[in-house]
Amino acid sequence: MPTISINCQDFEQLLGKARAASTPITAADIEGWLPLVKGELKDQDLELGELRIELQDGNRPDLWSCEGMARQVRIKLQGKPSSYPFFKSRHRPKRRLHVAPGLEEVRPYVAACAAIGYRVTEVGLAQLIQTQEKLGELFGRKRHTISIGVYQLPQIVFPVTYALVKPDEARFTPLGFEEKLSLGEILAVHPKGIEYGPIIAGHERVPLLRDGEGQVLSLPPIINSREIGEVKVGDQELFVEVTGTDLLMVILTLNILAANLADRGATIEAVEVVYPYKTRLGKTVRTPFDFGQARVIPIKTIESALGQRLGSEEVCRALSAYGYEARSAGNKVSVKPPPYRNDQMHAVDVVEDVAISRGYGAFTPLMPSQFTVGSLSRVEQVSDRVRDLMVGVGFQEIISNILSSRQELCDRMRLTGTAWEQLLEVDNVMSQSFACLRQWITPSLLRVESASTRAFYPHRLFEVGEVAVLDPTDDQGSRTVLTLGALVTHANANFSEIHSCLDLLLYYLGYPYTLEPIHHPSFLGGRAGQIISQSKAVGLIGELHPEVLEQWQVGMPGVVFELSVDALAEGT
Amino acid sequence: MAATPSLLDSLHPLETKVLTALHEAPSSASLREELIAKASGLDPSQLSMAVEWLLAKSLIKVESEKVIPIVTLTQTGEQYFEKYAPVERILSAVQDPGQTGKRLTIQEIQSREGLEPSEVSSAIGCLKKEGAIRIVQGGYIESTGNPSGTAESLRTLLQQLRGTTRELHLFPESLRRVIEQYAVKRGNTREPFRISDRIEREFSLTSEGQEAAHAIAQQGIGEEVSQLTPDLLKDGAWRAKRFRKYTISLRPPRIAGGRRHPYREFLDLVKAKLVSMGFREMRGSLIETEFWNMDALYMPQFHPAREIHDVYFVKEPTHAERIAEPFFSQVAAVHRDGWETRSTGWGYDFDEHRARRLVLRSQGTALSARTLAAGATVPGKYFAIARCFRYDRVDATHATDFFQVEGIVLGPEINFRTLLGLLDLFAREMAHAGESRFLPAYFPFTEPSVELHVRHPRLGWMELGGAGLLRPEVTLPLGVNVPVIAWGLGLDRMAMVALGIHDIRELFSTDLEMIRTTRAHF
């Protein structure tokens, strides 16, 4: 999840009076608070007081800014939620935003507010841009579900309209350009148009935000107007909007931005959004909007999940100190999440917040005491015996990647165009070297052999590993088979030597077998066999074809056998 | 230096033979190599080895050193023997005009005989000087009928030197001149003879050598052996033998034994530990459906980690035929609206077709989900060391396929504190950590979630693993009604330190020499 930059001094200012100490805040102080926000310190520049912090929780976009992190810490230090009165105000907003019909098919939802009285500072602007970017990219899935615009409020004449227009119907100067372009040109030419254009492609008209005088604010989710949509240090009145495809995510995002700006001293003024179509919150939605619902949870649920008696008072204290509105109601607790969070799907989510608020160190570890019997699977037991025996016979064990290439698995083995060339392939190949799952072990051993011609001989290699075999009768179309492969190379390596190894192994395993001659392209004619047990083919043995050795640039004769360990596990 | 018993015992049989030959030499105190060879019965390579050893031990010394010129046939000489030398061929060509019916010019001889211009001109010059041929008008060459001394000498020498070497001074003066004329010189390598120098050394025993040889003579030769043989044992002949003492401080020759792979040895240790702690092993397929790999773990289908750049998809077949009920319907319902779990669910339109999409297993937790659905025992502990695949660019810290060590613990006593207790156990047993700490973490399928950090005796503070209590949205649709811990351990860093490597790719190295020589320090 996102890695963000924050500044120690900025963090200190955002904590305000909540922090009693008068000494300047240090990186170590912040690191000590990181468990509250599931943050991990990635990097720091002590001179500049800059920290880079990775925030793990994908469901907590409210934490992806200096304001959000500081807020969580401030609440902990204060022991109670921060207050955001604008969520509770019942006055009808003086500013309105009208949504035009047709947008329900393209990008249906919008939320907006004004932020007044906060003079934008350099560090505040950097945070605003970072928040906009992280929320749009990660929470908004590359602006698909949400995108954010921030503007200079004084230049906007209300009401603002959110409507669909044809790409050649409007022109404006986008950020980063000097001259006016049509919407179609922006989509075709502007870097952001090229990057995000596909989100609104496939429709005759595109969404456009304009003010009461027809001035373009932005082409969401692509780019703002340069005239209105470029916020600068020193601006004191901002207009913030969020558009997107999921109403609650759109409003949550605006709530987060509003809380962030409020934390910096802005007064938030709501905007009334008027839809021509129904939404789950009605046709008129006042934003920011606190849609959080109180949830009643039995204290016992929390206590048994945590394994600790806490009592309702302690639960309420912990939750209040993490930002919830929590009220004790007998043996239950009523909890309402703060308006900038919407990640409580289940009571367990609240349980974790109780634990985080108290600190994981506040819980004494308790060893699970119920008795269980440990064991290995049957196939692993057989595999261990096989490996032991192979080591005893003098073989060096190998571990290989299972992903390989068709060239290694088939071409170099002379299997291309034969019945043995069926492979399980990857659809989204990153590198041709890792494009298929191996269907047998021998190529893995030859890969080692090929890289080791300077290691002194004899070479006796084996690997017990998984291979994937296509099988149309299987529900998933393939089976994973644990397979033993063994390879011997030296100047006098011959069939009888590898046969002796196989024979000894299967003697000790008590696994009767016979060899049946087989014509297999990887092996010399008349020197290859199938290993048959209980009238089932369970493996292969043979002397490698000189052409195979040439393909792998191996300068010694080589003999191999392969055996299904799964079959051994069933048959012994 | 006295001929101590230890000196005698350390003598190689070849050395003993040479000392004896010098000792028994009838005439003088020194012998030429040739004679030593004859007396001792050693071949030249054995002799030169033994002589060098004895010189090094100061048991013999070089009495005199003579440089003797010797003559051998070159490859050209061998050819001349078979196909005759240019002088012989030209002489024969002009003596036998009947063959062609006409006289020959120099050019005609050259092309008929396939000779080099330089060979022809020097041969004709020589024959003309000896009066064996003459050049007449028109450039024709005729035989005078006189014999050529050079041609005859050459033939004699070619016959005498074939397959042997002779000292130059053994030839009469006339032949010596021919040899010198036709010997390989700088700038002219196509000649039949080579004159080279043979260094002939004469050796004699030093006083120590004499003592040693004397001692050997008294003990009797042939009694020392280096290898005890079945025959010596059979007839008891070993009793009359002395066994040569070895220089045992020398490094032995290398051998390659059978051996487990060092990384596998590490994983075997992990496996044994987990079994000893009461864990049962789980196994499964490399290929999984998105359902078991992700949906059953309550990862929403729009989760960023499910995108094409994080998971490998199977090309063919693309989808599994079916997914077992009732799990399929219940998991789908839990994603849509929480089903019967009292969760809100993710609230999106669950795509059942996508759930059947086949992928390469990206996390071992898929095995835990299957184990839960198959009816895990309660209480129960399970583990897997599962090969997993990630769509990552391969580098020193990222592998495209790798082992994940993870599992579950289920039972009525499971809660957040027993989760911490289990992690404490892992910290002690797996990392021998004296200290550990727990940090809040995020995994889509657990709540609460914990990261385990430990102070490793050698590595300092490190993240050892992640764990949590499985969400009810995971357990209930799979038919499990007790709390479940899901845990995973990141052991590759410990493995790399144990194996002394710095690049994760070397865990699966293809370098046999490296695999053979890597020692693991667990």
Side-chain angles (χ1 to χ4, degrees), chain A residues 241-533:
Chain A
E241 57 77 19
V242 182
T243 61
T245 56
D246 180 302
L247 179 61
L248 294 190
M249 279 174 75
V250 165
I251 293 178
L252 179 71
T253 305
L254 186 76
N255 291 356
I256 291 169
L257 292 165
N260 285 2
L261 288 164
D263 284 352
R264 289 196 179 274
T267 303
I268 302 300
E269 292 183 6
V271 168
E272 186 174 273
V273 182
V274 184
Y275 290 94
Y277 41 84
K278 274 190 199 157
T279 75
R280 60 194 285 188
L281 298 174
K283 281 188 149 187
T284 304
V285 184
R286 179 201 156 93
T287 62
F289 177 68
D290 182 2
F291 54 80
Q293 303 278 327
R295 177 193 288 271
V296 175
I297 304 171
I299 295 292
K300 229 182 117 224
T301 303
I302 296 173
E303 289 181 336
S304 67
L306 293 175
Q308 178 92 32
R309 277 193 64 84
L310 294 169
S312 62
E313 204 176 308
E314 170 61 14
V315 168
C316 285
R317 192 201 61 73
L319 287 173
S320 296
Y322 205 63
Y324 287 85
E325 284 171 31
R327 279 187 301 108
S328 161
N331 53 2
K332 295 188 172 114
V333 59
S334 162
V335 291
K336 193 196 139 312
Y340 48 82
R341 283 184 64 180
N342 184 31
D343 59 321
Q344 291 77 17
M345 285 185 272
H346 191 277
V348 292
D349 294 297
V350 179
V351 167
E352 184 184 73
D353 285 343
V354 171
I356 293 175
S357 179
R358 297 187 80 231
Y360 282 7
F363 295 85
T364 313
L366 195 65
M367 187 69 75
S369 60
Q370 288 190 318
F371 181 78
T372 58
V373 177
S375 65
L376 292 179
S377 64
R378 169 79 184 139
V379 71
E380 186 69 12
Q381 286 174 41
V382 173
S383 158
D384 281 354
R385 285 192 69 198
V386 164
R387 290 170 53 221
D388 248 13
L389 288 165
M390 290 305 289
V391 166
V393 181
F395 283 73
Q396 168 68 55
E397 185 175 30
I398 300 298
I399 307 185
S400 308
N401 286 108
I402 291 176
L403 278 170
S404 183
S405 63
R406 182 167 277 284
Q407 190 206 9
E408 289 191 341
L409 297 173
C410 290
D411 298 355
R412 287 190 184 174
M413 300 308 298
R414 302 178 82 234
L415 298 182
T416 306
T418 74
W420 286 279
E421 71 168 346
Q422 303 238 320
L423 292 180
L424 206 124
E425 287 175 275
V426 169
D427 202 5
N428 50 331
V429 173
M430 176 185 274
S431 145
Q432 285 303 326
S433 319
F434 305 112
C436 314
L437 294 191
R438 65 180 175 192
Q439 83 282 32
W440 61 328
I441 303 279
T442 301
S444 299
L445 299 176
L446 280 168
R447 193 195 289 157
V448 173
E449 191 55 38
S450 184
S452 306
T453 48
R454 292 172 70 180
F456 68 93
Y457 289 89
H459 295 176
R460 294 193 175 87
L461 313 178
F462 84 99
E463 176 170 0
V464 175
E466 289 159 309
V467 306
V469 183
L470 285 176
D471 180 355
T473 67
D474 189 278
D475 262 3
Q476 299 193 161
S478 69
R479 282 178 297 116
T480 296
V481 182
L482 192 68
T483 304
L484 160 67
L487 165 71
V488 175
T489 62
H490 58 85
N492 300 310
N494 59 32
F495 185 89
S496 126
E497 178 178 355
I498 197 75
H499 192 185
S500 298
C501 297
L502 174 73
D503 196 66
L504 186 70
L505 174 74
L506 293 182
Y507 169 77
Y508 284 130
L509 292 171
Y511 191 73
Y513 78 100
T514 53
L515 294 189
E516 271 179 18
I518 184 179
H519 178 75
H520 188 292
S522 300
F523 302 111
L524 273 175
R527 298 189 185 182
Q530 262 185 319
I531 306 168
I532 308 283
S533 184

Side-chain angles (χ1 to χ4, degrees), chain B residues 211-506:
Chain B
E211 279 179 48
H214 187 68
I216 293 166
Q218 282 187 332
Q219 285 178 6
I221 195 167
E223 290 196 351
E224 192 194 72
V225 290
S226 84
Q227 179 69 44
L228 182 60
T229 62
D231 284 343
L232 289 175
L233 284 167
K234 199 171 172 185
D235 57 14
W238 65 269
R239 287 170 211 280
K241 306 290 181 193
R242 283 187 313 109
F243 293 94
R244 185 165 58 85
K245 296 203 170 147
Y246 295 151
T247 313
I248 58 169
S249 56
L250 296 177
R251 282 188 69 87
R254 272 183 72 188
I255 56 168
R259 180 171 174 246
R260 283 188 285 164
H261 190 282
Y263 180 40
R264 182 68 83 174
E265 239 179 303
F266 175 86
L267 293 174
D268 281 348
L269 210 67
V270 170
K271 192 168 81 180
K273 273 274 184 220
L274 288 165
V275 171
S276 76
M277 289 188 267
F279 285 87
R280 274 171 66 178
E281 195 208 7
M282 309 181 279
R283 293 193 77 92
S285 168
L286 296 173
I287 305 300
E288 262 302 355
T289 51
E290 285 206 42
F291 181 84
W292 290 110
N293 196 63
M294 290 170 278
D295 294 334
L297 297 168
Y298 200 53
M299 288 173 74
Q301 292 180 327
F302 57 78
H303 194 280
R306 298 185 61 160
E307 277 176 27
I308 188 134
H309 295 304
D310 289 278
V311 182
Y312 278 118
F313 293 91
V314 175
K315 191 172 187 179
E316 182 64 42
T318 54
H319 290 78
E321 280 178 30
R322 67 187 74 77
I323 284 160
E325 290 291 4
F327 312 115
F328 194 40
S329 309
Q330 290 173 5
V331 168
V334 99
H335 277 247
R336 286 187 189 117
D337 58 17
W339 187 56
E340 297 169 2
T341 65
R342 297 174 177 232
S343 166
T344 59
W346 283 109
Y348 71 101
D349 192 13
F350 183 84
D351 181 349
E352 300 196 346
H353 184 66
R354 170 128 189 223
R356 291 192 288 108
R357 184 74 175 95
L358 292 169
V359 297
L360 307 197
R361 180 170 65 204
S362 74
Q363 47 188 359
T365 322
L367 289 170
S368 298
R370 280 190 179 268
T371 300
L372 290 174
T377 53
V378 178
K381 296 201 200 108
Y382 293 87
F383 82 99
I385 299 180
R387 191 72 76 104
C388 298
F389 304 87
R390 291 275 167 87
Y391 192 88
D392 261 332
R393 204 157 283 290
V394 176
D395 61 27
T397 54
H398 295 88
T400 185
D401 57 291
F402 53 91
F403 286 105
Q404 241 185 18
V405 182
E406 58 79 51
I408 46 176
V409 178
L410 64 163
E413 63 163 352
I414 293 308
N415 56 45
F416 184 62
R417 284 179 62 198
T418 46
L419 163 65
L420 300 184
L422 178 80
L423 294 180
D424 245 0
L425 181 70
F426 283 153
R428 287 197 306 273
E429 292 296 320
M430 293 297 181
H432 310 290
E435 270 181 273
S436 54
R437 70 182 172 210
F438 308 112
L439 294 176
Y442 174 74
F443 309 108
F445 41 86
T446 55
E447 195 83 17
S449 307
V450 189
E451 232 171 52
L452 169 63
H453 290 244
V454 300
R455 196 200 282 277
H456 186 273
R458 279 198 282 161
L459 296 170
W461 282 104
M462 62 172 275
E463 185 184 335
L464 184 63
L469 300 177
L470 280 179
R471 300 184 65 100
E473 293 97 325
V474 177
T475 54
L476 295 175
L478 301 180
V480 174
N481 288 306
V482 292
V484 183
I485 292 170
W487 57 269
L489 296 173
L491 301 177
D492 277 353
R493 208 171 138 227
M494 266 163 61
M496 285 165 71
V497 170
L499 270 51
I501 59 177
H502 305 287
D503 187 324
I504 200 162
R505 286 168 288 196
E506 291 181 1

